[in-house]
Amino acid sequence: MEKGVLHKQIRDFFVRNFDVRQEKEDELETVESIKKGIEFKGTNLWVLIFATFVASLGLNTNSTAVIIGAMLISPLMGPIMGFGLGLGIYDFDLIKRSFRNFLTATIFSVITSTLFFLISPISEAQSELLARTQPTVYDVLIAFFGGLAGIVASSTKSKGNVIPGVAIATALMPPLCTAGFGLASGNLYYFFGAFYLYFINTVFISLATFMVVRVLKYPKKVFLDKQREKVVTRYVGVIVFFTIVPSLFLSYNLIRSSYFNDRVANFVSEELAFPNTQILSKTVTNTSEKQEVKVVLIGENIPDPMIEIARSRLRKYGLKDVSLVVQQGFGQEATDINQLKSMLMQDLYKNSEEVLRVQSIQIDSLKRTVDRYKSASRITSELIPEMKVLFPAVLEASCSNTYIMTTDSMKQDTVMLVYLKSKERINEKEQQKIREWLEARVNEKNIKLLIE
């Protein structure tokens, strides 16, 4: 086969399977479809408020199912995708509308969630809520690839149910509700951490939308006034620049922070794991001025020389300039009662989960054993009428699954043991005939025949 022909076949293969333009919807239809989801007034605004209440309830009660339901209800994706679309087609009016509605949705969501958490009787931060207070590099990747999936699906004729999936994956609503919890509880760490996560998700969904719109070559907005076109082009260029550059900076910082936290986690789990001692809390500070790992231990006190040995091994984990602070005991500074309660609850949950897992395995094993006995009993009751016709000399029969073990090798083998009682002696030829019939009848090759 000629080299040119092979290249053509490979190119045709990729075009046939990966070219999204084959099912592409008319650009104007897609643009109009996205524009419809931008406005936040009337029904859309009330749906957003109700979705915020549902998400806040889910975070308050630590219910993953309720949070997922709220993300499906929430119409937050509209203005975010509209912003990216506006950048891609140089529609400055669409950009302004999207940004204005995005601010409206964000402000109403935060106010609604703050009011909810102010009146909620449950004031303790649950695990679902805490998970939205510190973004990671994975949140960046989820938002970016989720945004790609959303705009690609919106550009096709089939569309499907991708947008709800993107809303769940990128999790726009829970961080906003967590920010409301931070305001209601006066915890600015929760507020800024959650809002940072929300901002990252927003930026990368918009960036992904912008990129796909440009790749699919959506037609740019036509301006009759060329001077106006130049101004809009300049503004869009500035917005794109200030969208992409900070997003790259955020990504770099998150990757750097994630790498640092992974090294700290490895160090703590390997070098500070002492018998009869547990890690109550771990606080990591990673700024340009200070790099510190503070660990609180409970249980038996660890001698200072052992802590110094652990401190000397920081370099091994790439933590050369990091200081290690170890606090022990139940002093007021060292121990936070809420952290202790949280740790005990986690241990209880893990232990309960392990007990349930073991019990589930045991139940499955018992079920299989019972099923084997039931199967043997059923087979016996089915074989008796047929055996009475085929082998009239047989008076009694019994089948059971059992194990046979050799005394030399202690090797265990599973067999079906068939016991027959006959009113007359059955010769070898007749025995072989019975065995072959049983093998075909019960679909079992390993049969042990006992005849009395």
Side-chain angles (χ1 to χ4, degrees), residues 71 157 170 208 234 239 327 334 365-366 370 378 391 397 422:
M71 289 187 283
K157 294 176 182 178
T170 53
R234 191 181 304 120
I239 295 171
Q327 295 179 339
S365 176
L366 289 171
V370 171
R378 178 179 53 80
F391 309 102
S422 175

Side-chain angles (χ1 to χ4, degrees), residues 278 342-353:
Q278 279 189 293
S342 174
M343 186 191 69
L344 292 174
M345 289 300 293
Q346 287 177 5
D347 286 347
L348 179 63
Y349 174 76
K350 288 178 181 176
N351 290 336
S352 300
E353 197 174 45

Side-chain angles (χ1 to χ4, degrees), residues 258-417:
S258 180
Y259 179 59
F260 180 81
N261 289 334
D262 286 343
R263 286 180 293 169
V264 170
N266 289 335
F267 168 77
V268 171
S269 63
E270 293 178 17
E271 302 297 339
L272 298 179
F274 301 106
N276 304 319
T277 302
Q278 279 189 293
I279 298 171
L280 177 61
S281 69
K282 176 187 70 179
T283 307
V284 181
T285 305
N286 181 23
T287 63
S288 55
E289 295 84 15
K290 182 181 180 182
Q291 286 187 314
E292 180 186 84
V293 177
K294 181 186 286 186
V295 179
V296 178
L297 303 177
I298 59 171
E300 290 186 4
N301 274 8
I302 306 303
D304 290 339
M306 294 184 70
I307 294 175
E308 283 300 323
I309 291 172
R311 193 173 279 121
S312 67
R313 291 176 180 165
L314 283 164
R315 184 189 297 268
K316 172 185 170 185
Y317 295 85
L319 304 171
K320 178 183 174 184
D321 300 321
V322 178
S323 59
L324 174 65
V325 177
V326 178
Q327 295 179 339
Q328 303 185 68
F330 283 92
Q332 189 172 359
E333 291 184 1
T335 305
D336 182 346
I337 193 66
N338 289 327
Q339 291 176 333
L340 181 60
K341 183 168 69 172
S342 174
M343 186 191 69
L344 292 174
M345 289 300 293
Q346 287 177 5
D347 286 347
L348 179 63
Y349 174 76
K350 288 178 181 176
N351 290 336
S352 300
E353 197 174 45
E354 180 62 22
V355 169
L356 288 173
R357 189 184 67 82
V358 172
Q359 288 179 344
S360 178
I361 293 172
Q362 291 175 340
I363 290 170
D364 288 342
S365 176
L366 289 171
K367 279 183 177 178
R368 287 193 294 270
T369 302
V370 171
D371 287 343
R372 281 201 301 270
Y373 282 116
K374 285 183 177 178
S375 175
S377 176
R378 178 179 53 80
I379 288 172
T380 303
S381 61
E382 290 176 356
L383 290 180
I384 289 293
E386 300 176 23
M387 194 171 285
K388 187 175 181 181
V389 175
L390 297 172
F391 309 102
V394 175
L395 298 175
E396 297 176 5
S398 175
C399 300
S400 65
N401 294 306
T402 187
Y403 301 100
I404 290 181
M405 187 177 291
T406 59
T407 55
D408 295 334
S409 63
M410 300 293 290
K411 183 180 178 182
Q412 187 173 280
D413 194 13
T414 305
V415 299
M416 173 172 275
L417 186 64

Side-chain angles (χ1 to χ4, degrees), residues 15 40 44 46 52 79 87 93 106 150 184 207 209 230 263 265 277 280 294 348 360 362 372 380 411 428 443 446:
V15 169
F40 273 97
N44 255 14
W46 279 110
T52 305
L87 289 176
D93 291 332
T106 302
L207 182 60
T209 304
K230 287 181 181 179
R263 286 180 293 169
T277 302
L280 177 61
K294 181 186 286 186
L348 179 63
S360 178
Q362 291 175 340
R372 281 201 301 270
T380 303
K411 183 180 178 182
E428 288 293 332
N443 195 24
N446 203 2

Side-chain angles (χ1 to χ4, degrees), residues 5 12 69 85 113 162 249 261 321 410 419 442:
V5 175
D12 291 345
L85 174 65
S113 58
V162 175
F249 179 73
N261 289 334
D321 300 321
M410 300 293 290
Y419 164 77
V442 301

